[in-house]
Amino acid sequence: MNKDHTNNDDINKDSVFLRQAKIEDIDALEQLLNLCYRQTEGWTNEADLVGGIRITQDELARTIDNPTHYLFVYPKTSTGERDGEETGELLGCIGVDMQVNAAAKKAYIGMFAVHPELQGRGVGHQILQAAETFAQRHLQSDGQATDKNPARLTMSILSHRPELLSYYQRRGYQLNGNKMPFPNDGNNGEPKRQDLELLELEKMVH
């Protein structure tokens, strides 16, 4: 993205809005996610831990087509407001994967990204809050939650990212003890250290 085109005072947390991603957004989504996760800009990048790509266009297409996976985007507009004309650029995105069955009632939050030049301005908080509200409404309306199977939000973060863990802990997420080695299949990048793991966080829905 062009720096001058992105960094302006019209874009702030109060003008954040989301819509569901469309197939036409794939190029912009791929660019945003790889910028935020694999390059060195912004504080959320993983460039020192994982190399290569963050996601492929095929994976994005499958996500958008999946009826239980809601991928939301924050599009840039000519006015910075919802009623402006979209420019084709994306300033943020977040995914909500509804995983509801007899054994589990949860929503997995992933693909969360905010353009580096907007980080630290409350935009990410607004996007995450909107996704959580959407997920909670779906989970609460489903009616399958019980004391033994409470509704919850989950997400995974890379180990060795204490600042990111703190960010989510401040928002009510806690480590639940579940973890797995970083998948070294080449589809989501190549780990730069052998002990890299994915740690699962969860937040109960009341």
Side-chain angles (χ1 to χ4, degrees):
M1 289 188 184
N2 182 292
K3 181 174 181 179
D4 295 335
H5 197 53
T6 303
N7 189 15
N8 65 64
D9 293 334
D10 293 332
I11 299 172
N12 58 66
K13 66 183 181 64
D14 296 321
S15 61
V16 172
F17 65 95
L18 299 176
R19 63 162 172 79
Q20 273 196 258
K22 302 175 289 188
I23 292 296
E24 293 78 19
D25 295 315
I26 285 180
D27 284 345
L29 274 165
E30 181 187 34
Q31 179 182 348
L32 176 68
L33 286 162
N34 285 322
L35 170 67
C36 292
Y37 283 90
R38 294 295 181 259
Q39 298 185 32
T40 56
E41 298 182 59
W43 74 274
T44 61
N45 78 80
E46 302 167 349
D48 59 331
L49 297 175
V50 184
I53 61 170
R54 169 62 176 83
I55 199 165
T56 65
Q57 292 201 358
D58 286 345
E59 188 175 350
L60 284 167
R62 287 194 297 271
T63 299
I64 291 171
D65 287 339
N66 186 337
T68 65
H69 199 150
Y70 300 85
L71 182 55
F72 298 101
V73 296
Y74 171 29
K76 179 170 173 56
T77 68
S78 56
T79 62
E81 302 293 337
R82 184 187 295 269
D83 58 359
E85 183 178 351
E86 292 190 18
T87 67
E89 299 170 281
L90 297 179
L91 302 176
C93 63
I94 196 165
V96 180
D97 186 9
M98 305 303 299
Q99 302 173 353
V100 178
N101 52 52
K105 183 180 175 68
K106 61 185 180 179
Y108 180 84
I109 307 292
M111 293 193 200
F112 182 22
V114 176
H115 191 281
E117 291 182 12
L118 294 185
Q119 292 178 13
R121 295 168 61 172
V123 173
H125 177 73
Q126 295 290 98
I127 291 176
L128 179 59
Q129 193 170 57
E132 288 179 335
T133 299
F134 173 85
Q136 288 170 357
R137 287 175 179 167
H138 270 250
L139 292 173
Q140 290 168 339
S141 66
D142 183 85
Q144 291 187 23
T146 65
D147 290 340
K148 293 183 179 180
N149 184 22
R152 61 192 189 277
L153 308 178
T154 66
M155 63 172 61
S156 297
I157 65 169
L158 285 177
S159 56
H160 311 289
R161 293 296 310 280
E163 72 285 0
L164 197 57
L165 175 59
S166 295
Y167 174 86
Y168 288 118
Q169 286 177 329
R170 290 195 298 271
R171 285 153 181 79
Y173 291 86
Q174 297 295 330
L175 291 166
N176 63 10
N178 294 337
K179 58 184 179 180
M180 61 176 288
F182 185 87
N184 193 9
D185 55 12
N187 292 327
N188 299 105
E190 296 81 36
K192 294 184 177 181
R193 52 186 299 166
Q194 295 297 314
D195 60 347
L196 197 61
E197 295 179 311
L198 290 172
L199 309 177
E200 189 173 74
L201 306 178
E202 67 179 32
K203 177 179 179 178
M204 295 301 169
V205 174
H206 302 292

